[in-house]
Structures are given as structure tokens and as C-alpha cells.
């Protein structure tokens, strides 16, 4: 109740105060700040995936600006020799306004990354976007088979069927590369599991399907029970360390992250940055008020 109240009134707070909440989770406003964070993570044994903040734009001019920002980011990151790839949210490029324009923008970004031998992850957004994002992925994967991946959400009842339906794109030499996460948007019971145990069971079922079929998973969770479940599957299927990776959000559960790195698993950290951090932070908090707990705790622990 209190979490929900804090989360919904946060947009009314002064920006500087919200920054106090957000700074542990966002690399900063500028590309230089993002580079500094990525360099520190690399030095500490982690790979990165960089995300420029922004989503659900109002017009296609914004989409062009976002595309240009990503193209510039890729050049700077490659010049800075950061060990990491990139994540994009298709609604930032006009997915819900003009899906074809969105395709062309993301295609250009993937082509740029592919030119450096790098990789773009298409984030999965709310359930209005899922079919469109799968279609977008298929289209780009056909042209750049090694340079693009997708996200699947364990809370969606359809996800295992989606995975099976995408297997026609898979081959042992060019395996599919999917991030599996719980899913962050508020979705109705009809299409999405709501209970923690159901979501976790489906997460592990999807992950097991990936291991059984040679898909490369990015296991994106901070939930200790899921990490343990994933480790048990890695053991059961005797997965080599190069056949999967763990992924976590910047600033979240650093101890769990450290434990996995020290045990020799690959860890990739999702690093969001950009001018739109305020909208991003307040929206995320409204969507998932439980996060307020972790934020308040981390602020208190920092003293
Ligand atoms: P859970 O929510 O149970 O969290 C476990 C614990 O982790 C919490 O108790 C808390 O301590 C901590 N925690 C989790 N999230 C936190 C946060 N944001 N701030 C502070 N503490 C937090 N979703 C989506 O719909 N589409 C996508 O493309 C992506 N992409 C993505 C990339 C990566 C690398 C990650 C890690 C996550 C995503 N997500 C996502 C978000 C994901 O769907 C999910 O909402 C969050 O990861 C939280 O779920 P957990 O599995 O961590 O469990």
C-alpha cells in the first residue's frame, strides 16, 4: 500500500529527489557516464548491455533521433573497447505508430552493430507488442542471423509455445539467443501468470526447453530461487560455461551477482542511461511498486 503510494506520487517529487532514488540503477544522463559505468563493470569481470532510456514515443521524428543516438552510441562504445552489446525497445522507434519505419530504424542499428561483429537484443515490451516484436525479430534475424536476439517473458502463458514456434530459425551452428526474464508489465490473468510460484515454474520450464534445444539463454533474474533453479538445470544438462549467461540490472543484488561471477559464470549487466531517466524511473516504480522496498533499503544501507 505504502509502496504503491510512494510510486504513484513520485512523478510529483522534485527531480533531484527522484534522482536520489534512481542513481543506483541508472548510469547517468550522458554517453560518457555510461562508458564510465561500463568500464568499471568490465574491470570487475562483467559484460554489459547498454540501453538508451526512452519508450512509447509520440511521433516518428523522435524515432529518428533515437536511432541516431544509438548509432552514435555504438561508435563510441566500440571505440572505448567496452566488452558489451546493446538492448533496444522497439516502441522507442515507433513500433506502435508505424511498424515498418520501426523495422528500418532497428535494422540500421543492427547493421551498424553487425559491422563491428556485435549484437543487438530486442527487449520485449507489454503484451500489445509481443506479436509485433516477434515479427520484427524474425525479419531482422533473416538478414543478420548472428547479430540479433530477443527477450521472452516467463509470466506470459504463451511463451513456451512462442519458443517452439521460433525453432525454425534455430540451427546448431547459428543458435537462437534469447533473454528469459519474468516480465515487468502489468498484464491480465487471462494471458499472464500472476503468482510468484507459477511464474518461477514457467521460467524454469522455458529455460529447460532452451537447454534441451541448444538455444543460448541470457538468464535474467535477481531472484535467488530462480538462480538456484537455473544452476540445477545447468548441472543436469551439463551446460558448458559458453552455452549460457546470467544477466542482471545495473545496481540490483550485487552480492548475488558477485557470487555467480566468482563461481565462473558469465554475467552481463543491463546498463540504462539517458535524458529520459525521470520518466523511466517513475514508470517502472508505478508498474512494480515492490521495487520501492529495495530502493528505500538501498538508500538506508548507503547511509
Ligand atoms: P523478483 O522481482 O522476484 O526480484 C527478486 C529480488 O531482486 C527482489 O526481491 C529485489 O530485491 C530485487 N530486485 C528485482 N528487480 C529490482 C529492481 N528493478 N530494483 C531493485 N531491486 C530489484 N522485463 C521485460 O518485461 N522485458 C524486458 O526486455 C526485460 N529485460 C530485462 C533485462 C534484464 C537484464 C533483467 C535483469 C530484467 C529485465 N526485465 C525485463 C525485468 C524482468 O522482467 C523483471 O521484472 C525483473 O528482473 C524482476 O524480476 P526478478 O526475476 O529479478 O525477480
Amino acid at each position: 500500500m505504502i509502496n504503491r503510494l510512494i510510486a504513484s506520487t513520485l512523478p510529483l517529487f522534485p527531480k533531484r529527489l527522484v534522482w536520489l532514488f534512481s542513481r543506483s540503477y541508472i548510469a547517468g544522463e550522458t554517453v560518457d557516464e555510461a562508458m564510465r559505468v561500463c568500464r568499471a563493470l568490465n574491470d570487475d569481470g562483467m559484460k554489459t548491455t547498454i540501453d538508451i532510456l526512452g519508450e512509447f514515443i509520440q511521433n516518428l521524428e523522435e524515432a529518428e533521433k533515437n536511432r541516431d543516438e544509438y548509432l552514435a552510441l555504438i561508435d563510441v562504445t566500440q571505440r572505448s573497447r567496452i566488452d558489451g552489446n546493446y538492448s533496444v525497445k522497439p516502441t522507442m522507434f515507433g513500433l506502435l505508430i508505424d511498424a515498418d519505419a520501426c523495422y528500418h530504424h532497428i535494422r540500421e542499428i543492427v547493421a551498424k552493430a553487425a559491422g563491428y561483429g556485435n549484437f543487438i537484443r530486442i527487449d520485449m515490451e507489454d503484451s500489445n507488442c509481443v506479436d509485433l516484436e516477434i515479427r520484427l525479430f524474425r525479419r531482422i534475424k533473416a538478414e543478420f542471423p548472428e547479430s540479433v536476439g530477443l527477450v521472452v517473458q516467463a509470466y506470459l502463458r504463451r511463451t513456451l509455445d512462442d519458443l517452439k514456434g521460433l525453432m525454425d530459425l534455430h540451427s546448431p551452428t547459428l543458435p537462437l539467443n534469447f533473454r528469459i526474464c519474468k516480465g515487468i508489465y502489468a498484464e491480465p490473468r487471462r494471458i499472464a501468470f500472476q503468482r510468484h510460484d507459477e511464474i518461477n515454474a514457467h521460467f524454469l520450464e522455458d529455460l529447460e526447453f532452451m537447454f534441451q534445444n541448444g538455444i543460448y539463454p541470457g538468464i535474467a533474474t535477481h531472484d535467488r530461487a530462480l538462480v538456484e533453479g537455473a544452476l540445477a538445470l545447468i548441472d543436469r544438462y551439463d551446460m558448458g560455461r559458453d552455452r549460457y549467461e546470467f544477466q542482471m540490472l545495473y545496481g540490483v543484488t550485487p552480492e548475488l551477482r558477485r557470487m555467480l561471477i566468482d563461481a565462473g559464470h558469465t554475467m552481463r549487466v543491463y546498463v540504462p542511461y539517458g535524458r529520459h531517466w525521470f520518466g523511466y524511473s517513475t514508470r517502472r516504480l508505478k508498474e512494480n511498486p515492490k521495487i520501492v522496498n529495495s530502493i528505500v533499503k538501498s538508500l538506508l544501507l548507503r547511509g
Side-chain angles (χ1 to χ4, degrees), residues 142-277:
E143 191 180 356
F144 302 99
E146 290 177 83
S147 308
V148 65
L150 188 66
V151 177
V152 295
Q153 296 157 321
Y155 66 9
L156 289 186
R157 296 175 193 272
R158 59 180 280 176
T159 291
L160 191 54
D161 289 335
D162 285 337
L163 287 174
K164 291 176 184 163
L166 284 160
M167 284 307 290
D168 64 297
L169 298 176
H170 180 77
S171 80
T173 46
L174 280 175
L176 284 166
N177 183 323
F178 290 147
R179 173 191 302 148
I180 166 113
C181 64
K182 287 187 182 178
I184 192 143
Y185 303 89
E187 301 289 1
R189 178 174 302 279
R190 185 174 44 81
I191 59 166
F193 298 111
Q194 308 288 325
R195 290 205 331 258
H196 181 261
D197 58 333
E198 285 177 319
I199 298 171
N200 279 19
H202 194 219
F203 188 113
L204 293 176
E205 201 182 343
D206 295 335
L207 182 60
E208 184 161 18
F209 178 86
M210 295 195 210
F211 283 151
Q212 285 167 339
N213 290 281
I215 297 172
Y216 181 98
I219 308 164
T221 183
H222 321 88
D223 183 336
R224 194 171 278 272
L226 273 186
V227 168
E228 280 164 12
L231 290 174
L233 286 175
I234 289 165
D235 267 359
R236 184 174 332 144
Y237 288 94
D238 196 19
M239 300 306 294
R241 294 283 151 97
D242 57 344
R243 307 275 303 278
Y244 64 89
E245 64 188 43
F246 284 91
Q247 299 186 353
M248 293 191 184
L249 300 174
Y250 176 60
V252 179
T253 57
E255 321 73 36
L256 188 56
R257 197 170 80 183
R258 190 76 254 159
M259 185 218 54
L260 288 167
I261 299 165
D262 290 348
H265 303 281
T266 301
M267 173 63 65
R268 186 179 304 276
V269 175
Y270 189 100
V271 179
Y273 84 96
R275 283 169 286 123
H276 299 297
W277 62 267

